[in-house]
Amino acid sequence: MLTRGEDYAHQQPSLTKKKLRRLEITAGAPKYTKSASGIWSANDAVREAELELARQAETSYKRLVQDQRAGAPARKVGASATPERA
């Protein structure tokens, strides 16, 4: 993410907006603006949908890692690990 300058793929947009707004206020931005209205009272349905997407992404990632580990060759240790040098 940092080396490619990309956003986190599974971020929750409403939570990100809320955090950015809190930073703006801390930096001295006016507390009450028309563009900032509604951020603090995020729609519960939107937040629940974002959380469900995050759960699905986590499950998908766990399966991916599990499949990669299952398909990896067994790791050998000792002299038999490198037959071309034996």
Side-chain angles (χ1 to χ4, degrees):
M1 291 183 328
L2 294 175
T3 57
R4 289 184 246 151
E6 297 175 353
D7 289 337
Y8 179 56
H10 307 295
Q11 71 175 335
Q12 298 172 3
S14 63
L15 185 59
T16 303
K17 270 186 168 180
K18 184 176 178 179
K19 288 180 180 181
L20 288 174
R21 181 63 186 144
R22 187 176 291 150
L23 285 172
E24 288 173 356
I25 291 171
T26 303
K31 287 187 178 185
Y32 303 104
T33 62
K34 289 183 181 182
S35 64
S37 65
I39 291 175
W40 297 107
S41 58
N43 188 347
D44 289 338
V46 171
R47 286 283 290 140
E48 189 56 40
E50 289 174 351
L51 287 172
E52 182 58 32
L53 282 173
R55 286 184 200 111
Q56 290 175 4
E58 183 178 3
T59 303
S60 172
Y61 180 76
K62 284 180 180 179
R63 284 184 192 153
L64 173 73
V65 171
Q66 188 177 27
D67 290 346
Q68 284 178 341
R69 287 183 182 165
R75 188 171 184 195
K76 294 184 178 182
V77 180
S80 64
T82 54
E84 67 274 356
R85 293 185 181 192

